[in-house]
Amino acid sequence: MSHRVIDNPENMATDISRVASSRRHSENGLPYVHKVGVPPKTNLLKEITETVKETFFHDDPLRNFKDQSKSKKLLLAIQAVFPILEWGRSYNLSKFKGDLISGLTIATLCIPQDIGYAKLANLDAQFGLYSSFVPPLVYAFMGSSRDIAIGPVAVVSLLLGSMLQQELDPVKQKHEYQRLAFTATFFAGITQFVLGFFRLGFLIDFLSHAAIVGFMGGAAITISLQQLKGLLGIKKFTKKTDIVSVMKSAFAAAHHGWNWQTIVIGLSFLAFLLVAKFIGKKHKKFFWVPAIAPLISVILSTFFVFIFHAEKHDVQIVRHIDQGINPPSLNEIYFSGEYLTKGFRIGVIAGLIALTEAVAIGRTFAAMKDYSLDGNKEMVALGTMNIVGSMTSCYVATGSFSRSAVNYMAGCHTAVSNIVMSCVVLLTLELITPLFKYTPNAILASIIISAVIGLIDIDAMTLLYKIDKFDFVACMGAFLGVVFQSVEIGLLIAVAISFAKILLQVTRPRIVVLGKVPRTRVYRNIQQYPESTKVPGVLIVRVDSAIYFSNSNYMKDRILRWLTDEDEILKETNQQKIQYLIVEMSPVTDIDTSGIHSLEDLYKSLQKRNVELVLANPGTMVIDKLHASGFTDMIGEDKIFLTVADAVMTFAPKMEP
């Protein structure tokens, strides 16, 4: 038997009365019944402090600072901001070899992709390369992921491009368009930094996995359709992104706008890229094949166009990429005027999508290598790199899944692989950009299609359908919204359905009837365990949610409706009328004043029906509030039990235990 110290006379008196009650219970021939313990009172300030701590500091980020000297605390603080100072001390040549190979491999993949993604954002090709030079360097010093590869990505590029061109024409207002892109990038970085600094990362979790799967799949379809312009050699193409407008525009140009040389180049290299991707997927040791395939495609196609002067046969080419490193662009950002609010709005949306993708990628590879990833630190790092990027002619950069996968397969050890990639991009900007002059747009379209096709996750959609139909609806809603309307509409649908699911679960919690599993003292859902039996004269229900203002009335009405239905059935079969309602409260994590009022209303309604209300196993927060409100006095302490079995043994003692 366990013992505890009694330091309060009132508590002692209560305990003595409970012991006496238990003894009387045993003397009457009934089994011993444990009572629900009442937690000690906590003051309001302590309760608020604990709630805030669990919400914002659940990972106890300051635990390493305890019992440390001031100099040590300063060093730890600097290391927290720049993780490279921590893992850099154990860096060695062996790790550098792995990072060097990984960095060179992802550089061969990122250079042609960056040029294509810049076109997707309606920006000149060099801006894509700029965004793979500065942001990866900043991230390498501040990021905590060992595997994530930083740079422009297809979905964010499309999102940014589609929203920016609604405000400005990327051709006629080219300079203003670029300025707005830098402004959006700046606010994307501010959004990410603020979320991380104030530890608000949990907000991005409101976008469900199902919605993200659908959004990414729809974006992949939209991005691929946008590439028909380059793949077919069409000069005049719709600015809309929905599938109907794009297909109309493509087929309208079939008789006079398609270029057969462009089609041959595009489809030939698209087939080559897809075969290379298939080889890399089937044989993991050949991961480098799909990684270098885009660069090989660019080199070969550029060579053929140059030799045969295909540009004279209306094969569209890149023509010019500015040479040299990123020019400063701080003075280009709109800090006032009408474009400030537009840049802010676009930046917030793009920043959140970029953040969601990067955190998801980082967590995936961290789990594969079994190391921890601080989501808030990641947000600060991503935000800082985009803020710096906006001041150095970059647009929104984030983690790329395709490059990160290659980085992982190539054997990277640390973020130094990003530094290596950045250095290769630097050399490209300084020395090689003139060689891209004859690169056909068709090859860039092929590279983008081969890169984004993997975002259409059919297996994940099928699994969603099997597991949760509502999740599948959320997935398809986001998917169809992107494909048939626009990226912004698809994103809005994804967010709306995610919130709708949360509201539905909160306002309509699951409430089930319990029965006794044969040959046990266990009570479970009678739908899950059809062999379980109901207790004569007793209705047992379980509420599978916290009871708040949003669901308290539903909870009360649902239980009363069940009681009415049960009484009608019993009346028809001449069985014993319900005398006790037992509410199993184990899953009820919390209750508010509205919930308590609903329990009081439920109790009063039951009294009119001559039915006693009994509670089983209310949790710490719940029993504390029930005592504070006086509800326990209303129903009686003897109507609150530790388990359903205890309650049944008390009020239906003749039943077999």
Side-chain angles (χ1 to χ4, degrees), residues 122 218 300 309 330 363 370 374 381 418 474 523 612:
N122 301 313
L300 290 177
H309 291 286
L330 177 60
R363 286 174 178 169
D370 193 26
D374 189 325
N418 273 294
Y523 292 80
E612 295 292 335

Side-chain angles (χ1 to χ4, degrees), residues 2 30 38 72 100 112 119 201 206 218 238 288 348 352 355 432 471 513 515 531 560 568 580 602:
S2 60
L30 298 177
V38 182
K72 182 66 174 177
L100 178 63
K119 296 282 185 182
F206 280 101
T238 181
W288 51 270
V348 169
L352 289 174
L355 194 59
I432 307 175
D471 270 352
V513 175
E531 71 278 9
L560 289 174
E568 289 177 357
Y580 296 97
L602 176 63

Side-chain angles (χ1 to χ4, degrees), residues 290-423:
I292 65 170
L295 190 60
I296 292 173
S297 301
V298 168
I299 293 170
L300 290 177
S301 62
T302 303
F303 177 75
F304 288 137
V305 169
F306 177 74
I307 293 296
F308 296 106
H309 291 286
E311 76 279 3
K312 294 181 180 179
H313 298 278
D314 287 333
V315 173
Q316 297 176 39
I317 58 176
V318 173
R319 294 194 181 278
H320 177 72
I321 299 178
D322 286 351
Q323 194 170 0
I325 62 172
N326 309 31
S329 58
L330 177 60
N331 60 330
E332 298 287 303
I333 299 173
Y334 289 112
F335 288 111
S336 61
E338 60 175 316
Y339 293 122
L340 172 63
T341 53
K342 293 177 181 178
F344 175 78
R345 177 181 59 84
I346 296 170
V348 169
I349 296 171
L352 289 174
I353 293 299
L355 194 59
T356 303
E357 187 170 354
V359 171
I361 292 168
R363 286 174 178 169
T364 300
F365 289 103
M368 291 169 69
K369 283 191 175 179
D370 193 26
Y371 65 89
S372 60
L373 193 71
D374 189 325
N376 291 295
K377 283 185 182 178
E378 284 294 284
M379 294 174 198
V380 170
L382 292 165
T384 304
M385 79 178 191
N386 277 315
I387 292 170
V388 175
S390 68
M391 301 175 184
T392 52
S393 301
C394 303
Y395 73 95
V396 182
T398 187
S400 164
F401 188 83
S402 59
R403 291 179 221 172
S404 298
V406 170
N407 197 29
Y408 171 81
M409 295 298 294
C412 70
H413 293 284
T414 67
V416 170
S417 59
N418 273 294
I419 298 176
V420 173
M421 178 192 72
S422 183
C423 291

Side-chain angles (χ1 to χ4, degrees), residues 230-232 259-277 293-294 296-298 300-302 304-305 440-447 449-450:
L231 203 63
L232 303 176
N259 181 273
W260 71 267
Q261 295 98 329
T262 300
I263 295 172
V264 169
I265 293 171
L267 294 181
S268 300
F269 282 102
L270 178 59
F272 168 69
L273 291 166
L274 293 176
V275 169
K277 199 166 188 175
I296 292 173
S297 301
V298 168
L300 290 177
S301 62
T302 303
F304 288 137
V305 169
N441 288 341
I443 203 65
L444 300 177
S446 300
I447 289 169
I449 292 172
S450 66

